[in-house]
Structure formats: C-alpha cells, structure tokens
Amino acid sequence: MSSDQIIKDDSRFIHGEDLQRSGKWSDITLTIKSVGDKDTMKANDGKVIPGFPVFFQETEKIAVLKGSNIRLLKSALQTADRSQMAGKKLTLYPAKGTWFGQSDVVAVRVRVPEGVARPFIQKQHLGTDLTK
C-alpha cells in the first residue's frame, strides 16, 4: 500500500479504518518527519489528545501514539530519542481488540520489524493483527 492511499476524510489523524482497501486490511510504511511533544495535539473541540504526535513525509495525516504504541515505536526504531527518529521508516498496521471501553474496535498499532526485540506487551494490548 502506498501512502497516498490513506483515506482522505475530515480527520487529521490516521485511524485503523484508514488501513483497509477494497475490503482487505493492510499495513503501511511511512517515513517519520518528526515526533512532537506529548499532549500537544488538540481535537476540533479544543480538547487535548493524549500522546505524542508523529508527523510523516508522505501524508498530512498524523498518528498520535501513547502507551503500548510508544513502547513499540521505541523498539521499532531502536531509539528513545525523538530527535533521532526523523527520517526513519515506521510501519503501522490495523489491529482489532477491546480498547476505549469497547470490544471489536480497530486501532492502529506499530509493527516492530522481524529481528528487532519487541518490548513485553500483553497480548490484549496488541490486539489481533488484521493483516494476517
């Protein structure tokens, strides 16, 4: 999937459903432009969106990552230093799980490349990878 296939909608953010094409779930690899400061993004209603905003070179859409995804990001990129993340590739994939107080929700997860150690994260926090 190329980055220009991200759904063009009113949202400024990448959502799990953005990773579905013609009824098939797929991951997407993007190049990080920058990682912003924690809790600096605001929704249209002015409320702070918790997490770190990740900006990409290939799309205007933003991934706001927190919790498990931040831990996965650090592992995937093999650095915790945000200033060293620019220019690195990040793969996002859709996963189904129980999040946000609801079951069977599709969310974006960070894929850690094969051969790179993944942090311990409980299976329910990873969800079920919909690309497999």
Side-chain angles (χ1 to χ4, degrees), residues 25-41:
W25 295 103
S26 57
D27 57 16
I28 187 168
T29 300
L30 300 166
T31 309
I32 295 174
K33 187 185 318 181
S34 65
V35 179
D37 292 330
K38 185 177 181 186
D39 303 340
T40 55
M41 294 302 302

Side-chain angles (χ1 to χ4, degrees), residues 18 23 28 30 32 40 46 55 59 64 73 96 108 110 114 122:
D18 292 333
I28 187 168
L30 300 166
I32 295 174
T40 55
F55 302 90
T59 182
V64 180
L73 170 83
K96 181 174 77 170
V108 173
V110 172
E114 283 191 40
Q122 295 180 2

Side-chain angles (χ1 to χ4, degrees), residues 58-126:
E58 297 88 352
T59 182
E60 293 297 314
K61 285 206 166 208
I62 303 161
V64 180
L65 306 179
K66 63 180 183 172
S68 297
N69 271 336
I70 286 296
R71 294 181 61 211
L72 292 166
L73 170 83
K74 291 174 183 178
S75 289
L77 302 181
Q78 299 183 10
T79 183
D81 184 345
R82 289 183 291 137
S83 69
Q84 294 180 4
M85 295 180 181
K88 294 192 177 202
K89 299 284 187 186
L90 183 67
T91 300
L92 304 174
Y93 70 93
K96 181 174 77 170
T98 300
W99 296 295
F100 320 114
Q102 299 177 31
S103 59
D104 292 330
V105 174
V106 178
V108 173
R109 287 289 176 256
V110 172
R111 186 175 306 288
V112 176
E114 283 191 40
V116 175
R118 179 177 62 80
F120 174 77
I121 295 175
Q122 295 180 2
K123 185 173 171 62
Q124 72 261 26
H125 297 296
L126 286 175

Side-chain angles (χ1 to χ4, degrees), residues 6-20:
I6 292 176
I7 292 174
K8 303 287 186 201
D9 63 14
D10 292 339
S11 177
R12 296 173 290 153
F13 306 103
I14 298 173
H15 297 284
E17 55 270 16
D18 292 333
L19 302 175
Q20 186 179 43

